Amino acid sequence: MSDVSKLTQLGAPTGYRYDHPDAATLEVFDNQHRSSLWVVGLDCTEFTSLCPMTGQPDFGTIVIHYVPDALCVESKSLKLYLGSYRNHGAFHEDCVNRIADDLFGRIAPRYLRVFGDFHARGGIAITPLALRISSALSDDERARAQALVADHLASTAPRR
């Protein structure tokens, strides 16, 4: 069983912050199946941020897939972290890469994929993709992790 004694946000009153994404918001718990390669898929269908030039809101979906190593991210803390982009001014590409960097820094997964599917503005939809891969993975483990994420994407595609 996971040690949940360090989780502070799950089950507690929620304090929302909408303008300051901070990786420290992301809480973690131990991966109980570390000896296996498996994937976690997380879809944030209501992601919002602000255009840093116009201040106009941007809407999109953030899709996260990772193959955990020692740690997993707790979902409420992820929700609070992603929600903190709501009044934060940043380009889509920056948001996706920052999310990838912050998650990779907190949970150090074997493999991480963060995809942003943003609504069109000015007739152009922007869909940035960021990958972070543990340098400790062998070529075979990397190929297996990529295949696992691809299988997960294929199996959940009808939902999207």
Side-chain angles (χ1 to χ4, degrees), residues 25-96:
T25 305
L26 297 166
E27 294 188 340
V28 301
F29 61 91
D30 292 334
N31 173 8
Q32 298 297 303
H33 306 280
R34 191 171 180 189
S35 63
S36 300
L37 285 183
W38 60 285
V39 67
V40 176
L42 302 158
D43 294 357
C44 175
T45 58
E46 299 175 350
F47 183 83
T48 61
S49 62
L50 297 179
C51 172
M53 300 302 291
T54 66
Q56 293 295 309
D58 289 314
F59 302 91
T61 297
I62 300 292
V63 180
I64 300 166
H65 286 92
Y66 69 94
V67 176
D69 191 6
L71 300 171
C72 296
V73 67
E74 190 278 318
S75 60
K76 182 177 180 183
S77 73
L78 178 65
K79 177 186 93 162
L80 294 173
Y81 168 78
L82 293 174
S84 69
Y85 281 85
R86 179 168 300 230
N87 291 332
H88 176 73
F91 291 115
H92 304 320
E93 299 87 346
D94 182 49
C95 290
V96 167

